[in-house]
Amino acid sequence: RSTMSSSFFIRGKQKPKLAQKGKNAVASKRKVDGETGGKKAQVKKPNSKYNEEISSESETESNVEPKKRHPVEEQEYEETPQEKKLRLAKLYIDQLKEEEEQKADDEAFETHLVAERLQEQVLEQKGKLQRPIAKDLLPPDASDIRLLRGHKLPVTCLVITSDDKCIFSAAKDCSIIKWDVESGKKLHTIPGGRKGTEDRHVGHTAHILCMAVSSDAKYLATGDVNKLIMIWEAETCKHLYKFTGHKGPVSGLSFRRGTHDLYSASHDRSIKVWNVDENAYVETLFGHQDAITGLDCLSRERCVTTGGRDRSVRVWKIAEESQLVFHGHEGSIDCVQLINEEHMITGADDGSVCLWSVNRKKPLSTVKQAHGCHGDAGLEQPHWVASVAALQNSDTVASGSHNSLVQLWKCAQNFRGLDPLFSIPVPGFVNSLKFSSSGQFLVAGVGQEHRLGRWWRIKEAKNGIYIIPLKRRAPNPESE
């Protein structure tokens, strides 16, 4: 028999009969694709591999003459079951190859993503992770900034839950308010008590200076001027425990991430470690020469503190019972925040903001008069830096004072410098600043007075919390 060159054009007509003829051999084993994709050359001797597999069937079927087949059509077109099986097998193999290649590409992409994620985790554990976010940030529109009011007196501190859904704030009126971020509504209020009602009032009866929330949002801790630390159930705001032991105002609180270990700092110059699950005191650490003004920690078993007028920043290695001492500011260091496990930002009443590495005793970078100066000509004083915040594992930090502006800064590569990004108008004393975990917004706790005293009063300021959205440039916007 000979294969005719015109077979390509009438193949469609014969397909149903061929399918019927070879259905026992083909349908159960091969996936049929409608298009064959071109003219078939005559197969003189099929590949031995396929020949072995299908020889018995093909011999039987090739000897059977198809019924009702027109003799002209038989002359014009001929594809034996053997050839058809070979063609379909090739199509099937090509399809499998394509699927495998696609799968390999997908796997390579996934492997790349996993590798990137693992690399980030390693850098984060080493304290060297610095995601470049600052370059994409845009100043927010004034109309997008929300003010939440509820405290009668200046807000002194605030925290955001790790899921970015709730904010806790506290103030000089001794009250604590839990806010819903999305709606801006109050979820709970723990009212403050009058001085002298400590025995019967559940809550604080003195100015609250600091607060912390555990990373799983189970516990809220608050510290006040009366040397007390209160532990609350964060979900319901139910009072759980009262920790006593400090001999001065409690000025700093922080939960170690992923645990319920609580670190507290006080004006009595000591740091205490507590186990909240067990309602237990663990130990006390000494070293600062003046009142401790701020404290922060991440997931390592260590914390960082600022020692006010002893002008030192200290990193406490809890397990080793040792400390690292850093010097740099010229005034009282009033606030501190860790950027990652190895770098931190501090602010002082000399108006400067410093960027530190735990591997160097001096600041990596210092910005003097970060918020400008005030006062009569010749007697200018820098605006005190009352609060700092860091978007963790990134290159973005912020500072607050009482010059009616929150300043955002970009950390240079490897934290070698601080460059101003933009400022956001916020009237009053910015007593507390916190970035949300996602970096979608920044929250400022604002008052008419400084959180530690009544040296000045800005009457036009409003006591409340400002939620400042952080817009980002679209990465490579697609052209329509």
Side-chain angles (χ1 to χ4, degrees):
R1 295 181 187 180
S2 63
T3 303
M4 301 296 288
S5 63
S6 62
S7 63
F8 175 81
F9 297 99
I10 63 165
R11 187 173 298 170
K13 196 182 287 184
Q14 287 295 325
K15 200 159 193 177
K17 288 187 180 179
L18 281 171
Q20 189 180 355
K21 177 183 170 185
K23 67 183 176 186
N24 294 332
V26 179
S28 62
K29 291 186 181 179
R30 300 289 181 237
K31 189 176 176 181
V32 180
D33 194 318
E35 294 293 330
T36 59
K39 187 164 66 177
K40 278 287 166 192
Q42 181 177 1
V43 179
K44 292 178 183 177
K45 190 172 183 179
N47 184 304
S48 60
K49 181 183 171 184
Y50 294 109
N51 198 28
E52 280 171 24
E53 289 178 2
I54 60 178
S55 59
S56 60
E57 291 178 7
S58 61
E59 280 168 17
T60 311
E61 290 185 4
S62 59
N63 295 331
V64 178
E65 283 295 315
K67 293 178 183 179
K68 297 180 183 178
R69 180 181 284 187
H70 200 279
V72 178
E73 287 179 357
E74 194 176 355
Q75 284 296 316
E76 286 181 346
Y77 173 75
E78 177 186 354
E79 183 182 45
T80 64
Q82 216 169 352
E83 288 172 347
K84 184 169 184 180
K85 283 184 181 180
L86 189 59
R87 174 173 59 80
L88 291 176
K90 283 181 178 175
L91 276 173
Y92 185 58
I93 287 167
D94 289 344
Q95 192 181 342
L96 283 177
K97 272 185 187 172
E98 200 175 313
E99 283 176 9
E100 284 301 317
E101 282 171 9
Q102 184 63 41
K103 194 175 170 186
D105 287 347
D106 292 346
E107 280 177 0
F109 182 63
E110 281 177 20
T111 305
H112 178 65
L113 285 179
V114 170
E116 271 192 353
R117 183 76 185 270
L118 287 171
Q119 191 176 4
E120 277 202 353
Q121 285 179 355
V122 168
L123 285 171
E124 187 173 351
Q125 285 166 3
K126 285 184 177 177
K128 294 177 181 175
L129 183 57
Q130 186 183 24
R131 292 192 191 98
I133 288 169
K135 61 182 172 54
D136 295 327
L137 290 179
L138 297 168
D141 297 328
S143 58
D144 292 335
I145 299 172
R146 292 185 289 157
L147 170 62
L148 309 185
R149 299 197 65 184
H151 292 288
K152 296 182 179 70
L153 293 177
V155 175
T156 53
C157 53
L158 62 87
V159 286
I160 309 170
T161 55
S162 55
D163 60 7
D164 292 351
K165 289 182 178 174
C166 299
I167 298 167
F168 292 92
S169 62
K172 286 187 178 182
D173 59 15
C174 316
S175 69
I176 301 163
I177 298 178
K178 181 181 181 181
W179 307 86
D180 178 70
V181 172
E182 196 173 338
S183 66
K185 290 179 180 174
K186 294 180 198 173
L187 297 174
H188 288 281
T189 301
I190 304 169
R194 288 177 177 275
K195 192 175 180 180
T197 62
E198 292 86 358
D199 295 339
R200 56 186 183 273
H201 178 73
V202 179
H204 291 279
T205 56
H207 296 178
I208 301 168
L209 294 181
C210 54
M211 65 197 322
V213 67
S214 61
S215 53
D216 61 357
K218 184 176 181 182
Y219 297 116
L220 173 73
T222 51
D224 70 14
V225 172
N226 267 0
K227 316 167 196 172
L228 291 178
I229 298 168
M230 301 267 189
I231 306 295
W232 313 82
E233 191 178 77
E235 181 62 33
T236 60
C237 291
K238 177 189 166 192
H239 183 261
L240 298 175
Y241 314 122
K242 185 187 289 185
F243 289 162
T244 58
H246 278 298
K247 296 179 174 66
V250 181
S251 55
L253 285 168
S254 188
F255 280 96
R256 183 180 164 204
R257 191 178 292 170
T259 74
H260 295 143
D261 296 340
L262 178 67
Y263 301 124
S264 64
S266 167
H267 287 187
D268 66 10
R269 298 181 286 185
S270 74
I271 290 136
K272 291 187 187 290
V273 184
W274 314 82
N275 183 327
V276 177
D277 279 331
E278 305 290 331
N279 184 17
Y281 157 78
V282 180
E283 63 179 319
T284 303
L285 308 167
F286 295 98
H288 276 293
Q289 306 301 310
D290 191 33
I292 301 174
T293 52
L295 176 148
D296 193 25
C297 73
L298 291 178
S299 51
R300 287 184 185 172
E301 199 174 350
R302 55 167 64 178
C303 63
V304 55
T305 55
T306 50
R309 299 213 167 272
D310 77 1
R311 298 180 187 178
S312 76
V313 177
R314 292 175 193 243
V315 173
W316 304 81
K317 297 182 178 180
I318 311 295
E320 295 94 323
E321 295 185 356
S322 64
Q323 54 185 288
L324 305 173
V325 186
F326 307 85
H327 292 279
H329 288 281
E330 294 170 6
S332 171
I333 311 174
D334 292 341
C335 46
V336 62
Q337 186 93 43
L338 283 158
I339 304 169
N340 56 31
E341 297 284 8
E342 302 247 317
H343 298 90
M344 55 210 164
I345 183 103
T346 56
D349 71 0
D350 62 1
S352 64
V353 172
C354 286
L355 190 58
W356 308 77
S357 163
V358 295
N359 301 314
R360 287 192 54 185
K361 295 289 184 186
K362 297 286 180 188
L364 295 174
S365 178
T366 301
V367 179
K368 294 190 174 180
Q369 296 178 12
H371 286 262
C373 294
H374 64 101
D376 300 330
L379 297 170
E380 296 98 339
Q381 291 291 315
H383 285 107
W384 296 2
V385 178
S387 56
V388 289
L391 181 51
Q392 260 149 35
N393 297 310
S394 82
D395 60 349
T396 308
V397 296
S399 60
S401 182
H402 61 279
N403 66 328
S404 301
L405 294 172
V406 169
Q407 181 67 48
L408 263 74
W409 307 86
K410 179 190 176 200
C411 304
Q413 187 72 30
N414 298 322
F415 301 97
R416 291 290 172 189
L418 269 178
D419 302 311
L421 269 178
F422 54 81
S423 53
I424 302 157
V426 176
F429 282 84
V430 182
N431 287 323
S432 186
L433 275 173
K434 287 285 186 295
F435 281 97
S436 65
S437 299
S438 62
Q440 298 295 316
F441 59 92
L442 172 68
V443 183
V446 178
Q448 294 181 335
E449 301 168 353
H450 191 281
R451 67 191 180 94
L452 297 176
R454 305 186 68 181
W455 298 284
W456 301 277
R457 185 176 173 82
I458 300 173
K459 288 182 182 177
E460 59 273 19
K462 294 179 172 67
N463 299 319
I465 64 173
Y466 288 81
I467 300 178
I468 303 161
L470 296 174
K471 293 182 178 178
R472 301 195 192 190
R473 287 186 185 87
N476 302 326
E478 292 178 6
S479 53
E480 292 290 325

